[in-house]
Amino acid sequence: MCPSTSRNSLAVPEESIREACGETPLPDLGLIEQVWETDPIPPADIAERAGEAFGSLPLADVPDGGEIALGVGSRGIANLETIVAGVVAAARDRGYEPFVFPAMGSHGGATAEGQREMLADLGVDESSVGCEIRSSMEVVEVGRTAERDVPVVADANAVAADAIVPINRIKPHTDFDGTVESGLSKMLVIGMGKQRGAKIAHDWAVEWSLRNMIPEITEQLLAELPVVGGVAILEDQRDETTLLEGVPPAGFLDREAELLERAYDVMPKLPFADVDVLILDEQGKDISGQGMDTNVIGRRPFAIQEPEPESPDVKRIYTRGLTETTHGNAMGMGSADFVHADLLAAIEMPTTLINALTASTTRGVRIPPAVETDRAGLVAALSTIGVPDTDSVRVLRAADTMHLQRLYASPALIEEAREREDLRVAEEPAPIEFENGDFAAPSPSETVDTARSTRRGDDCGNS
């Protein structure tokens, strides 16, 4: 039996779901918009600002013509191609020879070519950024930690360079809470460590915890390697670039911690603390390390010795598919209660399992019950939260956990939105339309906004 045939047999037909659940009324859905005031960097200025951030780093000890290794990861960062190209141009203007190396741990199937392809899918290739891409899974041991004698490894190409500069977004992490989470330090420790380094880190995190490990190993890497600093990126609620800053080695961890606090303040969130059913059109590694951002969905079922977020409380999650850029990596699908057959069909299990084994989060890749249609998914979710009342049930549909400005919402949530200054009702509730059992309406992030924007400055067109 071929894999696709086997997977199709796991998806439960809509008729079977409706027979099992009985008559389940579906709520109407309207459209709401979160009202955010943002101040993004104008697109025309991003490359220059990235170059200025790089130029602010202490480069005096880098020899003329020296090689500078630029670490770039696998996340879907806004304007990533432009930012990297701006750093490359600034390095060349100063007489250096920059190259990009994938700093993404085990992503891309833990192969050099797979990681090169992931960068290309994010717009980062030799022609777009103007420098060589050196992709290899080879690492070298640069030291061992003092108390636990844990090996510290790093990308061989980066270690051989005259300077190392990670380029990454600062944001809350999905697996743990700490003074530094997802950002420059984690890229140095896990991303630059490739598959071996990522596996070592996650194995030891079971007793050591990433919140303690990452700062300690970061300090060791700063001492052992020619890391001249990093280029930090902050994004606003619309995932637009709002800050580009060079972070020097002196005070590296302290400054990253300060930027993380700012990132928490502006990260997009669900606008309601209690949700009965959350529908996500897509999940993927380009959206979050766990496919669905745990800080958004309020779930962290795979974590070891790490508490779940206090809010929101989401009773059921139905996930409809994978992003194209995730290349079949379904890490985090275990956080969903139900998934569409399309997600099941798109899974590349070797890539997914390698990621889960490396991160020691195998519970995150448990396959949830799969349904053949969206109507079946919604019926299954509603029928398992008690006796649903279409007037009071709290249902949201989002594009993913990164794009949360525009959301389909049930009447109870629409009425709450009318009373709040941070929310706007864009469309009144109407019956859900289906085509062959699947939602006919486009993803909420694809709906046209004809209302006046509240953003300040130039329109960056990335919401």
Side-chain angles (χ1 to χ4, degrees), residues 259-304:
L259 292 174
L260 177 61
E261 290 183 8
R262 291 181 58 180
Y264 262 105
D265 290 339
V266 299
M267 74 171 290
K269 307 175 184 72
L270 297 179
F272 305 101
D274 296 296
V275 176
D276 292 322
V277 178
L278 173 62
I279 303 164
L280 295 173
D281 288 344
E282 291 183 321
Q283 70 163 75
K285 294 293 290 186
D286 50 322
I287 301 300
S288 169
Q290 286 294 335
M292 296 172 273
D293 193 321
T294 60
N295 299 291
V296 172
I297 64 174
R299 295 183 180 185
R300 196 180 280 161
F302 46 80
I304 300 173

Short mmCIF file of all heavy atoms in Angstrom, two decimals, residues 259-304:
data_model
loop_
_atom_site.label_atom_id
_atom_site.label_comp_id
_atom_site.label_asym_id
_atom_site.label_seq_id
_atom_site.Cartn_x
_atom_site.Cartn_y
_atom_site.Cartn_z
N LEU A 259 15.28 43.60 24.38
CA LEU A 259 14.53 43.54 23.12
C LEU A 259 13.42 42.49 23.20
O LEU A 259 12.35 42.67 22.59
CB LEU A 259 15.48 43.22 21.97
CG LEU A 259 16.48 44.33 21.62
CD1 LEU A 259 17.46 43.84 20.55
CD2 LEU A 259 15.77 45.59 21.14
N LEU A 260 13.65 41.41 23.95
CA LEU A 260 12.61 40.39 24.10
C LEU A 260 11.39 40.97 24.82
O LEU A 260 10.25 40.66 24.47
CB LEU A 260 13.16 39.19 24.88
CG LEU A 260 12.14 38.07 25.17
CD1 LEU A 260 11.59 37.48 23.88
CD2 LEU A 260 12.77 36.98 26.03
N GLU A 261 11.62 41.82 25.81
CA GLU A 261 10.50 42.46 26.50
C GLU A 261 9.68 43.30 25.53
O GLU A 261 8.44 43.30 25.58
CB GLU A 261 11.02 43.32 27.66
CG GLU A 261 11.60 42.52 28.82
CD GLU A 261 12.02 43.41 29.97
OE1 GLU A 261 11.71 44.63 29.92
OE2 GLU A 261 12.63 42.90 30.92
N ARG A 262 10.35 44.01 24.64
CA ARG A 262 9.63 44.79 23.63
C ARG A 262 8.87 43.87 22.69
O ARG A 262 7.75 44.18 22.27
CB ARG A 262 10.61 45.68 22.85
CG ARG A 262 11.20 46.81 23.66
CD ARG A 262 12.13 47.67 22.84
NE ARG A 262 11.49 48.25 21.67
CZ ARG A 262 12.11 49.05 20.80
NH1 ARG A 262 13.39 49.36 20.99
NH2 ARG A 262 11.46 49.55 19.76
N ALA A 263 9.48 42.74 22.33
CA ALA A 263 8.83 41.80 21.42
C ALA A 263 7.55 41.23 22.03
O ALA A 263 6.55 41.04 21.33
CB ALA A 263 9.79 40.67 21.05
N TYR A 264 7.57 40.96 23.33
CA TYR A 264 6.37 40.47 24.00
C TYR A 264 5.25 41.51 23.91
O TYR A 264 4.07 41.16 23.73
CB TYR A 264 6.67 40.17 25.47
CG TYR A 264 6.95 38.71 25.76
CD1 TYR A 264 8.24 38.26 26.00
CD2 TYR A 264 5.91 37.77 25.79
CE1 TYR A 264 8.51 36.92 26.27
CE2 TYR A 264 6.16 36.44 26.05
CZ TYR A 264 7.46 36.02 26.30
OH TYR A 264 7.71 34.69 26.56
N ASP A 265 5.60 42.77 24.03
CA ASP A 265 4.60 43.83 24.02
C ASP A 265 3.89 43.94 22.67
O ASP A 265 2.71 44.32 22.62
CB ASP A 265 5.24 45.18 24.37
CG ASP A 265 5.66 45.26 25.83
OD1 ASP A 265 5.12 44.49 26.65
OD2 ASP A 265 6.54 46.09 26.13
N VAL A 266 4.60 43.65 21.59
CA VAL A 266 4.03 43.88 20.26
C VAL A 266 3.67 42.61 19.51
O VAL A 266 3.19 42.67 18.38
CB VAL A 266 4.99 44.73 19.38
CG1 VAL A 266 5.23 46.09 20.01
CG2 VAL A 266 6.31 44.01 19.12
N MET A 267 3.88 41.43 20.11
CA MET A 267 3.56 40.21 19.38
C MET A 267 2.05 40.11 19.17
O MET A 267 1.26 40.48 20.04
CB MET A 267 4.08 38.97 20.11
CG MET A 267 3.31 38.59 21.36
SD MET A 267 3.83 36.98 22.02
CE MET A 267 3.20 35.88 20.75
N PRO A 268 1.61 39.64 17.99
CA PRO A 268 0.17 39.48 17.76
C PRO A 268 -0.40 38.37 18.63
O PRO A 268 0.25 37.34 18.85
CB PRO A 268 0.10 39.13 16.27
CG PRO A 268 1.44 38.54 15.94
CD PRO A 268 2.42 39.24 16.83
N LYS A 269 -1.59 38.57 19.14
CA LYS A 269 -2.24 37.60 20.01
C LYS A 269 -3.71 37.49 19.61
O LYS A 269 -4.25 38.37 18.94
CB LYS A 269 -2.16 38.04 21.48
CG LYS A 269 -0.76 38.35 21.99
CD LYS A 269 -0.81 38.88 23.42
CE LYS A 269 0.57 39.31 23.92
NZ LYS A 269 1.03 40.55 23.26
N LEU A 270 -4.35 36.41 20.05
CA LEU A 270 -5.80 36.33 19.91
C LEU A 270 -6.42 37.42 20.79
O LEU A 270 -5.97 37.63 21.91
CB LEU A 270 -6.31 34.96 20.34
CG LEU A 270 -5.84 33.74 19.54
CD1 LEU A 270 -6.43 32.47 20.13
CD2 LEU A 270 -6.23 33.87 18.07
N PRO A 271 -7.45 38.08 20.33
CA PRO A 271 -8.02 39.18 21.10
C PRO A 271 -8.98 38.74 22.20
O PRO A 271 -9.59 39.59 22.86
CB PRO A 271 -8.75 40.01 20.04
CG PRO A 271 -9.15 39.01 19.01
CD PRO A 271 -8.04 37.99 18.98
N PHE A 272 -9.15 37.42 22.40
CA PHE A 272 -10.05 36.92 23.43
C PHE A 272 -9.33 35.88 24.28
O PHE A 272 -8.60 35.03 23.75
CB PHE A 272 -11.30 36.30 22.79
CG PHE A 272 -12.04 37.22 21.85
CD1 PHE A 272 -11.88 37.09 20.49
CD2 PHE A 272 -12.87 38.21 22.35
CE1 PHE A 272 -12.54 37.93 19.61
CE2 PHE A 272 -13.54 39.06 21.48
CZ PHE A 272 -13.37 38.93 20.11
N ALA A 273 -9.57 35.92 25.58
CA ALA A 273 -8.90 35.00 26.51
C ALA A 273 -9.56 33.62 26.51
O ALA A 273 -8.92 32.62 26.87
CB ALA A 273 -8.89 35.57 27.92
N ASP A 274 -10.83 33.55 26.14
CA ASP A 274 -11.57 32.28 26.13
C ASP A 274 -12.15 32.04 24.74
O ASP A 274 -12.92 32.86 24.24
CB ASP A 274 -12.70 32.30 27.16
CG ASP A 274 -12.17 32.41 28.59
OD1 ASP A 274 -11.47 31.47 29.02
OD2 ASP A 274 -12.42 33.44 29.23
N VAL A 275 -11.76 30.91 24.15
CA VAL A 275 -12.23 30.55 22.81
C VAL A 275 -12.68 29.10 22.85
O VAL A 275 -11.95 28.23 23.37
CB VAL A 275 -11.11 30.74 21.75
CG1 VAL A 275 -11.58 30.26 20.38
CG2 VAL A 275 -10.68 32.20 21.70
N ASP A 276 -13.85 28.82 22.30
CA ASP A 276 -14.32 27.44 22.26
C ASP A 276 -13.66 26.65 21.14
O ASP A 276 -13.19 25.53 21.35
CB ASP A 276 -15.85 27.41 22.07
CG ASP A 276 -16.58 27.93 23.30
OD1 ASP A 276 -16.13 27.64 24.43
OD2 ASP A 276 -17.60 28.63 23.13
N VAL A 277 -13.65 27.22 19.95
CA VAL A 277 -13.04 26.55 18.79
C VAL A 277 -12.18 27.55 18.03
O VAL A 277 -12.66 28.63 17.66
CB VAL A 277 -14.11 25.96 17.85
CG1 VAL A 277 -13.45 25.32 16.62
CG2 VAL A 277 -14.98 24.93 18.58
N LEU A 278 -10.94 27.18 17.82
CA LEU A 278 -10.03 27.99 17.00
C LEU A 278 -9.71 27.20 15.74
O LEU A 278 -9.21 26.07 15.81
CB LEU A 278 -8.73 28.28 17.77
CG LEU A 278 -7.61 28.97 16.98
CD1 LEU A 278 -8.06 30.35 16.49
CD2 LEU A 278 -6.34 29.08 17.81
N ILE A 279 -9.99 27.80 14.60
CA ILE A 279 -9.69 27.21 13.29
C ILE A 279 -8.46 27.92 12.73
O ILE A 279 -8.44 29.15 12.64
CB ILE A 279 -10.87 27.37 12.31
CG1 ILE A 279 -12.13 26.74 12.89
CG2 ILE A 279 -10.54 26.76 10.95
CD1 ILE A 279 -13.41 27.19 12.20
N LEU A 280 -7.45 27.16 12.37
CA LEU A 280 -6.24 27.71 11.77
C LEU A 280 -6.11 27.18 10.35
O LEU A 280 -6.11 25.96 10.14
CB LEU A 280 -5.00 27.34 12.59
CG LEU A 280 -4.93 27.93 14.00
CD1 LEU A 280 -3.76 27.33 14.76
CD2 LEU A 280 -4.82 29.44 13.95
N ASP A 281 -6.02 28.08 9.40
CA ASP A 281 -5.92 27.63 8.00
C ASP A 281 -4.61 26.91 7.72
O ASP A 281 -4.58 25.98 6.92
CB ASP A 281 -6.08 28.83 7.07
CG ASP A 281 -7.50 29.36 7.02
OD1 ASP A 281 -8.42 28.62 7.46
OD2 ASP A 281 -7.71 30.49 6.56
N GLU A 282 -3.53 27.35 8.38
CA GLU A 282 -2.23 26.72 8.13
C GLU A 282 -1.37 26.73 9.38
O GLU A 282 -1.54 27.56 10.28
CB GLU A 282 -1.48 27.45 7.01
CG GLU A 282 -2.07 27.30 5.63
CD GLU A 282 -1.22 27.99 4.57
OE1 GLU A 282 -0.69 29.08 4.84
OE2 GLU A 282 -1.08 27.42 3.47
N GLN A 283 -0.41 25.81 9.41
CA GLN A 283 0.67 25.83 10.37
C GLN A 283 1.95 25.53 9.60
O GLN A 283 1.92 25.02 8.49
CB GLN A 283 0.46 24.79 11.48
CG GLN A 283 0.60 23.34 11.01
CD GLN A 283 0.80 22.39 12.16
OE1 GLN A 283 -0.14 22.08 12.88
NE2 GLN A 283 2.01 21.89 12.33
N GLY A 284 3.10 25.86 10.18
CA GLY A 284 4.35 25.57 9.49
C GLY A 284 5.54 26.12 10.24
O GLY A 284 5.42 27.00 11.10
N LYS A 285 6.73 25.62 9.90
CA LYS A 285 7.96 26.06 10.56
C LYS A 285 8.26 27.51 10.25
O LYS A 285 8.97 28.17 11.01
CB LYS A 285 9.13 25.18 10.11
CG LYS A 285 9.05 23.74 10.54
CD LYS A 285 9.17 23.57 12.04
CE LYS A 285 10.56 23.89 12.54
NZ LYS A 285 10.72 23.58 13.99
N ASP A 286 7.77 28.03 9.12
CA ASP A 286 7.96 29.44 8.81
C ASP A 286 7.04 30.33 9.64
O ASP A 286 7.26 31.53 9.74
CB ASP A 286 7.73 29.70 7.32
CG ASP A 286 6.42 29.11 6.81
OD1 ASP A 286 6.05 28.01 7.27
OD2 ASP A 286 5.77 29.74 5.96
N ILE A 287 6.01 29.74 10.24
CA ILE A 287 5.09 30.47 11.11
C ILE A 287 5.62 30.46 12.54
O ILE A 287 5.65 31.48 13.23
CB ILE A 287 3.68 29.85 11.08
CG1 ILE A 287 3.12 29.85 9.64
CG2 ILE A 287 2.75 30.57 12.03
CD1 ILE A 287 3.00 31.22 9.03
N SER A 288 6.04 29.29 13.00
CA SER A 288 6.54 29.12 14.36
C SER A 288 7.36 27.85 14.42
O SER A 288 7.14 26.92 13.63
CB SER A 288 5.36 29.04 15.35
OG SER A 288 5.79 28.63 16.63
N GLY A 289 8.29 27.79 15.36
CA GLY A 289 9.09 26.59 15.52
C GLY A 289 8.25 25.37 15.81
O GLY A 289 8.62 24.25 15.47
N GLN A 290 7.08 25.58 16.43
CA GLN A 290 6.17 24.48 16.71
C GLN A 290 4.95 24.51 15.78
O GLN A 290 3.90 23.98 16.13
CB GLN A 290 5.73 24.53 18.17
CG GLN A 290 6.81 24.09 19.14
CD GLN A 290 7.18 22.63 19.00
OE1 GLN A 290 6.39 21.82 18.53
NE2 GLN A 290 8.39 22.27 19.39
N GLY A 291 5.11 25.12 14.62
CA GLY A 291 4.02 25.14 13.65
C GLY A 291 2.92 26.10 14.00
O GLY A 291 2.47 26.89 13.17
N MET A 292 2.45 26.02 15.23
CA MET A 292 1.48 26.95 15.81
C MET A 292 2.15 27.57 17.03
O MET A 292 2.66 26.84 17.89
CB MET A 292 0.20 26.22 16.23
CG MET A 292 -0.56 25.59 15.09
SD MET A 292 -1.94 24.55 15.67
CE MET A 292 -1.09 22.97 15.91
N ASP A 293 2.16 28.88 17.12
CA ASP A 293 2.83 29.55 18.23
C ASP A 293 2.12 29.23 19.54
O ASP A 293 0.94 29.55 19.73
CB ASP A 293 2.85 31.06 18.00
CG ASP A 293 3.80 31.79 18.93
OD1 ASP A 293 3.87 31.41 20.12
OD2 ASP A 293 4.48 32.73 18.48
N THR A 294 2.84 28.59 20.45
CA THR A 294 2.23 28.19 21.72
C THR A 294 1.78 29.38 22.55
O THR A 294 0.85 29.28 23.35
CB THR A 294 3.22 27.35 22.55
OG1 THR A 294 4.39 28.14 22.81
CG2 THR A 294 3.64 26.11 21.79
N ASN A 295 2.44 30.53 22.38
CA ASN A 295 2.04 31.73 23.11
C ASN A 295 0.71 32.28 22.61
O ASN A 295 0.04 33.02 23.32
CB ASN A 295 3.12 32.80 22.98
CG ASN A 295 4.44 32.37 23.55
OD1 ASN A 295 4.58 32.23 24.76
ND2 ASN A 295 5.41 32.12 22.69
N VAL A 296 0.33 31.90 21.39
CA VAL A 296 -0.94 32.34 20.82
C VAL A 296 -2.06 31.37 21.17
O VAL A 296 -3.17 31.77 21.53
CB VAL A 296 -0.83 32.50 19.29
CG1 VAL A 296 -2.19 32.75 18.65
CG2 VAL A 296 0.12 33.65 18.95
N ILE A 297 -1.78 30.06 21.08
CA ILE A 297 -2.84 29.07 21.30
C ILE A 297 -2.97 28.67 22.77
O ILE A 297 -3.94 27.99 23.15
CB ILE A 297 -2.63 27.81 20.43
CG1 ILE A 297 -1.33 27.08 20.83
CG2 ILE A 297 -2.63 28.18 18.95
CD1 ILE A 297 -1.14 25.76 20.11
N GLY A 298 -2.01 29.05 23.61
CA GLY A 298 -2.10 28.73 25.03
C GLY A 298 -1.85 27.27 25.35
O GLY A 298 -2.27 26.78 26.41
N ARG A 299 -1.16 26.57 24.46
CA ARG A 299 -0.89 25.14 24.68
C ARG A 299 0.60 24.86 24.48
O ARG A 299 1.23 25.40 23.57
CB ARG A 299 -1.68 24.27 23.70
CG ARG A 299 -3.18 24.34 23.87
CD ARG A 299 -3.86 23.39 22.91
NE ARG A 299 -5.31 23.43 23.06
CZ ARG A 299 -6.15 22.61 22.42
NH1 ARG A 299 -5.66 21.70 21.59
NH2 ARG A 299 -7.45 22.71 22.61
N ARG A 300 1.12 23.98 25.33
CA ARG A 300 2.51 23.52 25.19
C ARG A 300 2.56 22.06 25.65
O ARG A 300 3.25 21.71 26.61
CB ARG A 300 3.43 24.41 26.04
CG ARG A 300 4.90 24.32 25.71
CD ARG A 300 5.71 25.25 26.62
NE ARG A 300 5.66 26.62 26.18
CZ ARG A 300 5.95 27.67 26.95
NH1 ARG A 300 6.28 27.47 28.21
NH2 ARG A 300 5.90 28.90 26.48
N PRO A 301 1.81 21.18 24.97
CA PRO A 301 1.65 19.81 25.47
C PRO A 301 2.89 18.95 25.35
O PRO A 301 2.97 17.89 25.97
CB PRO A 301 0.52 19.26 24.58
CG PRO A 301 0.65 20.03 23.31
CD PRO A 301 1.07 21.41 23.72
N PHE A 302 3.84 19.36 24.57
CA PHE A 302 5.03 18.56 24.30
C PHE A 302 6.21 18.91 25.20
O PHE A 302 7.21 18.22 25.23
CB PHE A 302 5.47 18.78 22.85
CG PHE A 302 5.47 20.22 22.48
CD1 PHE A 302 6.51 21.05 22.84
CD2 PHE A 302 4.39 20.77 21.81
CE1 PHE A 302 6.49 22.40 22.54
CE2 PHE A 302 4.36 22.12 21.50
CZ PHE A 302 5.42 22.94 21.87
N ALA A 303 6.12 20.03 25.91
CA ALA A 303 7.26 20.54 26.66
C ALA A 303 7.55 19.69 27.89
O ALA A 303 6.65 19.10 28.50
CB ALA A 303 7.02 21.99 27.07
N ILE A 304 8.83 19.62 28.25
CA ILE A 304 9.27 18.89 29.43
C ILE A 304 9.73 19.90 30.47
O ILE A 304 10.60 20.72 30.21
CB ILE A 304 10.42 17.92 29.08
CG1 ILE A 304 9.94 16.91 28.03
CG2 ILE A 304 10.92 17.19 30.32
CD1 ILE A 304 11.03 16.01 27.49
#
